[in-house]
Amino acid sequence: MKFDLISDTHWDFYFRADSNMSERKIKLEFDKIFANQGSDVLIHAGDTGHYPKQDAQLFEALSKRYKKILVVGGNHTLYNISSSQRYTFKTWQHKFQNWKDIINEVQNVEVLDGNIVEIDGIKFGGTMGWYDGSYYWDQDIASPYKRPLDSIWRSYSNDAHKIPGLGHFLDIWQVEKKKIEKVVDQCDVMITHVMPTTYDDFIYPEYQTQSSNAFYTFNYNEEIKNLKNTKIWCFGHNHKPLDKMLGNTRLICNPQGYPKENPYFEIKTIEV
């Protein structure tokens, strides 16, 4: 079977969240983005947008183009952006559950959250995933830095300031790690938002050896090499495309990114 892959759409940068989106405007934008649609199944590897109801409206439009859509959460899913969100959501768990409930109400759209969905005999497993900081230590780049990694995270990452109730980035990793372990290698296609390897070969040359990669990756290097059933691992978070083998598993990233960030973006169709 075939499926289409996208991630990091950041829809509220393309459609104003505080305005009514006309069907015509959505169609014009989606006609461009999905011009080379190649299958009836869409995988979205996270970071849809900041506003659940807007995400749901856009997924509803996409459900007319695809028979089934699977999506995982992303770090931006957890953000409190507006004063209304900051008033309503005091924890990242509450923010995520609200988004998940709203998206799952859209016909033919399902959030993967540590579970597996089978389509035409192919098993898709997934969860948001999270970064574990391993890159900082695995690449032996910690020694020049006096500050602990948590301090670097708080000064570098918006996650530290816009995700409600998050004391330490490893708090989410501990939750997501269990969900990954629950489904990985039980499925043909695995989906997370965060890249599951810390190898520099999978990071664009201009970003290699940077300490910030600790917040874009998690170390599943050896686990992936030993996978027996998972043929493909889709991810996002990095706004650069990638399609590369690690062991017997194909790692694929196909991010749309922010406006003008990837001007030649195209939907990627993948055959399992």
Side-chain angles (χ1 to χ4, degrees):
M1 72 162 295
K2 296 179 180 180
F3 66 88
D4 290 352
L5 176 63
I6 193 173
S7 72
D8 301 277
T9 48
H10 296 283
W11 278 326
D12 46 310
F13 284 82
Y14 293 87
F15 304 94
R16 283 185 57 182
D18 59 351
S19 63
N20 292 322
M21 298 181 294
S22 68
E23 290 186 9
R24 180 178 177 275
K25 183 176 180 180
I26 295 173
K27 184 178 184 303
L28 286 172
E29 186 66 29
F30 281 0
D31 279 350
K32 293 184 292 183
I33 298 172
F34 297 92
N36 61 328
Q37 178 180 340
S39 79
D40 294 326
V41 176
L42 176 66
I43 303 299
H44 194 304
D47 272 1
T48 50
H50 292 119
Y51 299 92
K53 291 183 179 179
Q54 181 186 55
D55 288 354
Q57 184 179 353
L58 293 167
F59 273 128
E60 186 173 353
L62 282 175
S63 70
K64 298 174 184 178
R65 297 171 182 257
Y66 290 93
K67 293 180 180 178
K68 187 67 178 181
I69 299 173
L70 300 177
V71 57
V72 297
N75 57 312
H76 283 260
T77 306
L78 309 180
Y79 280 19
N80 276 344
I81 297 299
S82 66
S83 57
S84 175
Q85 288 179 346
R86 287 189 288 272
Y87 177 81
T88 303
F89 304 111
K90 304 304 181 184
T91 67
W92 60 268
Q93 295 95 329
H94 187 193
K95 181 71 180 346
F96 175 78
Q97 189 62 49
N98 174 260
W99 174 82
K100 178 181 174 181
D101 291 344
I102 290 174
I103 300 306
N104 278 339
E105 289 179 359
V106 182
Q107 187 175 8
N108 300 329
V109 181
E110 185 168 350
V111 175
L112 292 177
D113 186 28
N115 60 301
I116 293 173
V117 172
E118 186 170 338
I119 305 173
D120 295 338
I122 301 299
K123 294 180 179 179
F124 294 84
T127 185
M128 177 172 60
W130 201 252
Y131 44 87
D132 65 357
S134 290
Y135 182 93
Y136 189 63
W137 312 109
D138 294 347
Q139 301 297 321
D140 194 29
I141 58 176
S143 56
Y145 295 89
K146 301 289 186 182
R147 293 185 300 165
L149 185 57
D150 180 65
S151 176
I152 298 174
W153 173 67
R154 293 183 187 282
S155 63
Y156 169 82
S157 177
N158 284 329
D159 294 358
H161 309 288
K162 294 188 176 182
I163 297 177
L166 181 59
H168 194 286
F169 64 83
L170 288 177
D171 294 346
I172 298 180
W173 167 245
Q174 294 302 326
V175 173
E176 289 297 311
K177 180 182 178 183
K178 294 176 182 178
K179 295 177 183 179
I180 293 169
E181 292 170 346
K182 183 179 177 182
V183 298
V184 70
D185 219 21
Q186 305 299 314
C187 55
D188 303 291
V189 180
M190 182 71 182
I191 305 123
T192 56
H193 180 55
V194 178
M195 184 167 73
T197 177
T198 59
Y199 289 143
D200 259 338
D201 289 348
F202 290 80
I203 296 172
Y204 268 69
E206 59 265 38
Y207 301 124
Q208 289 177 4
T209 75
Q210 292 186 12
S211 59
S212 58
N213 289 320
F215 315 126
Y216 286 86
T217 60
F218 64 90
N219 186 343
Y220 236 61
N221 302 336
E222 296 305 315
E223 288 88 344
I224 291 176
K225 291 177 185 177
N226 293 321
L227 292 177
K228 296 179 180 179
N229 299 311
T230 300
K231 306 175 184 69
I232 296 171
W233 195 311
C234 303
F235 65 93
H237 199 35
N238 305 306
H239 286 198
K240 296 285 188 181
L242 180 79
D243 190 340
K244 191 170 183 175
M245 297 295 296
L246 178 55
N248 295 315
T249 302
R250 185 179 173 191
L251 272 57
I252 312 174
C253 180
N254 191 43
Q256 180 185 357
Y258 296 112
K260 300 181 180 180
E261 188 174 23
N262 292 318
Y264 303 108
F265 171 80
E266 291 185 343
I267 281 292
K268 189 177 184 73
T269 301
I270 301 154
E271 186 166 6
V272 187

